[in-house]
Amino acid sequence: MNASPTNASPTHIAIELNGTQHTVPAGITVVAALSLWANGVTRVSVLGEPRAAFCGMGICQECRVTVNGQRRLACQTVCLPGMVVHTTTPTKPGHSA
């Protein structure tokens, strides 16, 4: 008998990154999604320099983003369907997010 599972996990999910809908593989972190669909920049420093994940384990705090209205570490947050992620963007001339 070939029964297909009724609760099979999706292979991809939809999330919103900075106002744009994207499809990402299920189970990846927010920082991985940013690397796929953005330039990896999560925030800007107090001097306006673009910052991205550095340590990948939540110690450096460089990957701070807003997820569903709450501050989170992108390297420690798994993407969920419908998640809304906002990063800060560089404001110094010559930098783009």
Side-chain angles (χ1 to χ4, degrees):
M1 196 158 108
N2 269 342
S4 62
T6 57
N7 60 351
S9 297
T11 58
H12 288 79
I13 60 171
I15 65 170
E16 181 180 311
L17 296 175
N18 293 327
T20 304
Q21 291 289 320
H22 294 286
T23 301
V24 298
I28 69 169
T29 61
V30 171
V31 77
L34 289 170
S35 294
L36 285 173
W37 289 108
N39 60 1
V41 172
T42 57
R43 66 180 195 87
V44 293
S45 71
V46 295
L47 298 176
E49 296 291 331
R51 307 301 291 178
F54 181 70
C55 72
M57 60 184 176
I59 302 301
C60 72
Q61 306 282 308
E62 291 294 343
C63 66
R64 295 185 307 261
V65 295
T66 303
V67 175
N68 296 334
Q70 297 184 337
R71 299 299 287 174
R72 296 281 185 244
L73 297 177
C75 71
Q76 298 293 301
T77 305
V78 175
C79 291
L80 297 173
M83 181 178 273
V84 177
V85 179
H86 290 282
T87 64
T88 56
T89 55
T91 56
K92 279 182 84 171
H95 292 288
S96 61

